[in-house]
Amino acid sequence: MDLDLLRFLGVTVVVMAVPGPSVLFAITQRVQHGRVAGIVAVLGLETGLLAHVLAACLGVSAVIAASPALLTVLRLGGAGYLAFLGLRQLGIRLPLDSGVLSPGVHHPARTMAAPVSAPDPGRTLWGIFRAGLLVDLLNPKSLVFFLALVPQFIPGGVMSAPLATTMITCVVGLGLLFDGGYAALAGRIQRTALARARHWGPPLAGWCFLLLAATIVVG
């Protein structure tokens, strides 16, 4: 394998191994709604990751990063969506809760407060996929990271289709490995040591989402 590609993989592995919004979202869906929901969440996240890497390979990320206004809109949009997910985990009902931004699942606190009809599985899974897609798409750090990383490993500054395909395959594969791995580990832990912690799990996830939103705003 080419030395530059190995270095690209090494840097990507280090960055993706550190949990962030994607990992937190995958874990919350896996723990709260089961294995299928966790898988769908990861697929949504990696679709967003695919878009980021593809945009970096095609030079679209450079256009966005060159516009402070667009970058600010992306940053605030990403922070706002993470805050929305955080408040939702805390059981706070929001005006957008039934709209396109909602992951499409009922919060336990609300389902215990009043009976509701069973959600359509297709709509629920589609909502989780869509939410995962937005979590990754609206993450400005992903855009800036790949914008800064990809050009450094393009020989002569000219991106070829085989190199772009290899980079995209490697990045999405690593995303599946880490996001899916963390979610699977969380599911395994939940079945053992954390089986009695369901009452504090969603609030903890909510505050983590809010903290991540705050770091994006100030960063």
Side-chain angles (χ1 to χ4, degrees):
M1 184 178 289
D2 184 80
L3 179 60
D4 282 340
L5 187 57
L6 284 174
R7 287 167 48 214
F8 174 80
L9 287 175
V11 174
T12 306
V13 165
V14 171
V15 172
M16 289 194 170
V18 179
S22 297
V23 169
L24 179 58
F25 181 77
I27 288 176
T28 57
Q29 299 308 307
R30 170 64 181 87
V31 170
Q32 294 178 20
H33 308 296
R35 179 180 300 173
V36 174
I39 293 173
V40 172
V42 170
L43 291 177
L45 291 166
E46 306 328 317
T47 303
L49 183 62
L50 169 63
H52 274 299
V53 186
L54 183 60
C57 290
L58 295 177
V60 177
S61 296
V63 175
I64 297 176
S67 171
L70 283 177
L71 205 53
T72 298
V73 169
L74 180 65
R75 180 167 59 87
L76 295 180
Y81 189 60
L82 289 177
F84 166 77
L85 292 177
L87 293 173
R88 207 168 180 277
Q89 288 292 319
L90 293 172
I92 299 175
R93 191 175 184 87
L94 300 169
L96 295 174
D97 227 11
S98 60
V100 297
L101 296 182
S102 172
V105 290
H106 299 286
H107 190 280
R110 291 204 300 271
T111 55
M112 287 188 294
V116 295
S117 58
D120 174 58
R123 287 188 59 192
T124 298
L125 294 179
W126 165 242
I128 293 172
F129 177 89
R130 182 180 57 205
L133 175 64
L134 288 174
V135 166
D136 225 313
L137 277 182
L138 295 176
N139 187 351
K141 294 185 177 181
S142 291
L143 183 144
V144 173
F145 169 69
F146 288 112
L147 171 64
L149 181 67
V150 168
Q152 298 183 39
F153 300 95
I154 302 177
V158 179
M159 174 64 75
S160 64
L163 178 59
T165 301
T166 302
M167 285 185 165
I168 290 170
T169 302
C170 291
V171 170
V172 174
L174 288 171
L176 286 168
L177 176 65
F178 284 107
D179 291 341
Y182 277 118
L185 178 61
R188 186 173 183 83
I189 293 174
Q190 180 198 30
R191 290 194 300 270
T192 56
L194 296 182
R196 299 184 300 274
R198 290 191 178 188
H199 63 286
W200 57 259
L204 176 62
W207 285 113
C208 287
F209 274 121
L210 292 175
L211 179 60
L212 287 170
T215 60
I216 290 177
V217 170
V218 300

